[in-house]
Amino acid sequence: MRDHSITRNEPVPYSTGQPLVPAWRLLWNVRRATLLIFLFRSAFALSLSLPAADLVDISSYRHPQASPIPGGDALLLVEIVREALPALRQKALIGIGIVLLYLLLVPYLSMLWLCALDRPGPIQNSGIEASRRYHASFLLSLLFLFAIALSISASFCLYRLLQQALWSGCIDAVRDLISLAFLLPGSLLTLFLFVLHDLSRAALCSEKRILNAIRLGMRATFRPPNIASYLYWFGLAALLTLVSALVMLFLDSGPTRSCLTLFILLQITALGRTALRGRWWISALRFIRDQKRPNSASFRP
Amino acid sequence: MIAGYHSFAAAAAFSLIVGIAFFIGTVTNAARADGKTSERHRYRIEAYLDARRHIVEATEWIDWYNHSDTWVNQLYFHLYLNAFKNDRSVFMREQGFRLRNQKLRRPGRIEIVSFQTTNGTDLLSKSSTDLIPNDATQMVTTLPRPVPPRKTLSLVIKFRAYLPQLVARSGYDREFNFVAQWYPKLARFCSDGRWISFPYHGLGEFYADFARYQVSVNVPSSYIIGATGKRTASRLEGMRRIDTYSAEPVHDFAWCAYPYFERFVFSTAGPRVYLLAPHGYRAVIGHHRRAIRAGLRRFGRLFGAYPYETLTVIIPPKGAEGARGMEYPTLFVTSGPWFHFPKLRVPFANSQTVTIHELAHQWFHGLIANNEVEAPVLDEGVAQWASADLLRALYGRSRSGLSLGNLSFDIFELIRAAFYWKKSPYPSSLLAANRYSADELIYSVYLRPPLVFETARRVWGKAKFERAIGNYARTQRFRHPTLNDLFDSFNRVYWPRFARDFLIPALTAESTFEARITELRVQKTEHTWQTSLTAVRPDRTTIPTWIVLHHRYGGQTKIAWPAGQATLKTIHAGNREVVAATLDPYRSNLLDPSLLDNNSAVKTKTRSGALLALLLFWAQSFLEVIGP
Ligand SMILES: [Zn+2]
């Protein structure tokens, strides 16, 4: 497949100099794509969780009114898993299959979402553009998967090496903390790779070549405010999860406990996190745009 | 030697209190030809640690007393450090699982330089270590003249102990030296004139007579020592220090030397406790101390007070993990991290579990010295129950195993879950240690016996159980009990055939003690609800239990199901609707292999919406992380 069409009629908003739409407004404008991503992911999640729920459900083995085992009720799970092990193996295989299928679709979905956010318009157009970029996006993600795995295992090896090498008279706590501290560079590198992966994918919206996209992404990643922005949106998503966990705890002990409330709360959280992720993509796309226009580089969170 | 006579007198007095039979035995044997008053073997060792080369050079004087009525012409010794001579020894072959990832970088051995009687007769030429091919951990010596009954033979042995790189129990790691199983030690000699000797096994080691030890260790003056017994003398000689330790009556002597120990000393109602930890463990010392104090109190109450003046507890440094989790008389090696979280008790951050288990060994193997190879259930199995019981006393039944916020487990339920994780049956718990694989040993000796003992305690009550095990521990103190002694003690307290009716079928896994509800039906007649319930126990041996019927809108009906009745069929009529039934609601029978069939609900299966909502959310979160 040739990519002539992209170069021929690429409607690049930043090159036309049209005013920037406020980020949240933009996210609202492309809500259909965002919702599509959310629904798609939820469908996969449901196909993973339904069989798991069947296996794990304690309530089918115990009547809710039956007296609990003192300090051992949850251990029924062990028994259930033991009984269900043959079925579990089969379901685990299906689960792995589902996850693999999902991973194959991820490059397409991320490009669809990014293209929709980059050039708002009919969702079909974004779909077509995403299919043109699937190959590049897939290779890019594969490359980063490899790099991230390498960085994590390298920092783990460093930790083990230090644990072995440090002098025996050394205080155990000091040695453990020093080895832990040496996990930090590895973690920073891993964080850097995560941001780079995202920004390179964002760059892939306007760049055909993987290497160019990575170069652009690299330039954007080296700007600390951009990493800060990533951490900001990521932190907000984590905060949202934390808040909903707290609300859940309250629901669990409170009188208003109900499955439906729980379901709605969790789904609002998941949807909220998807929106925050979309908001980060918008920032990422703008960082790439800034890299292409060096004279107007400025940080807009 | 003269020093130590006071402690001997105290111990002799103690034996008077402990058991009349034992006392009579000791008194009748007290008169001795050489004029001394001892019926116990005596070891005196002077050891010099070459800290750079990890070699202990020593001279050992043994007074061996023939307490039998027969003439003895052979002596059996254990040279257990020879287990590390090469990887063909019995120990190394049996321990293969532990050493798989660690090559023995430096082997260890005992070299006997000279071996004589005190009047100069050479015995080295009359000794042989060729009892088992490739294994030199036993030595038999043929005496030129047999030792008559009630007479003492005095021996002098000069030897060198080359410590191995620490892989299991004995050895060194950098500056840390753990000197255990390091001297020529007599095997167990029975009063009928038999020797009981076995090679150093991978999964069992102790069986020896109680003796009186006096050991002086010569180490570089910067080294801190932990040793069996009480330090009775200490003096500096140039750059070296000589510490003398006495212990009586004990059946082994171990010590350790390391320059980077911090020493914590604390008193208890019983012994003075010396806790030696590498620098940086201050945060967990209080945690260990609480466990030790509580353990000394509780085990003392259940099994008789701890009789010695000292207890030494060692936390080995990193790299010396091979020494950890091992018990010696009046000394044990624990393990655990340098940090702990008061509100969180989970395996990885738990300093107390090992400490408690090893402390229980001070009774079950230290004081009640069964043959560890022949009947490991008597030391490991009973110690496991005792330590789980102590955890319950410390934290309460439902939080004894683990507590993590709202999640908490009963330690016995955890042991049960671990034991029944695999469905395949494990061999009897009453086999000899060397007949198990390492995996089987864990299930059959460490996991099943505490479940059996605890089931006895829960089904027939705490008082009976504590009386039975307490009597056993008290009467067998400073003795060498067998399984029958334990069973007799239970038979006396429960009923004459209790061991045959319950303990043996449970420990040998002859019976599974499976029980299940097979049917629960509820029908409404004109004015009443009719509930018919069927429950079965397929095994020959059964224990009494309860079934509880749960009514709609609360309330219960209890039905007793006595032992001996294989099937229970009952029809219950009442004006309240029964919605569920639970067999063994108080979880007394920890041996039932399946819990799922102990509950039956009238309502048919419905999917839990809350669980599904949660699982869906977790799946979404996971896919979010790996997705766009
Ligand atoms: Zn043990």
Side-chain angles (χ1 to χ4, degrees), chain A residues 71-143:
Chain A
D73 229 4
L75 287 174
L76 273 184
L77 259 178
V78 176
E79 212 115 320
I80 292 162
V81 171
R82 188 190 68 174
E83 293 301 316
L85 214 54
L88 192 72
R89 284 207 189 94
Q90 193 198 358
K91 287 191 175 170
L93 274 180
I94 295 172
I96 290 170
I98 292 173
V99 170
L100 282 179
L101 180 67
Y102 178 76
L103 281 176
L104 281 177
L105 287 171
V106 162
Y108 178 80
L109 289 174
S110 51
M111 287 330 286
L112 182 141
W113 201 5
L114 277 165
C115 289
L117 287 166
D118 196 35
R119 292 179 281 276
I123 197 155
Q124 296 89 327
N125 290 2
S126 311
I128 293 164
E129 290 211 24
S131 60
R132 283 183 190 138
R133 288 169 169 82
Y134 178 79
H135 188 61
S137 174
F138 180 79
L139 281 180
L140 187 85
S141 290
L142 204 65
L143 195 72

Side-chain angles (χ1 to χ4, degrees), chain B residues 327 357-358 361 380 383 446:
Chain B
E327 66 280 7
H357 174 89
E358 303 309 330
H361 274 309
E380 293 302 348
Y446 285 79

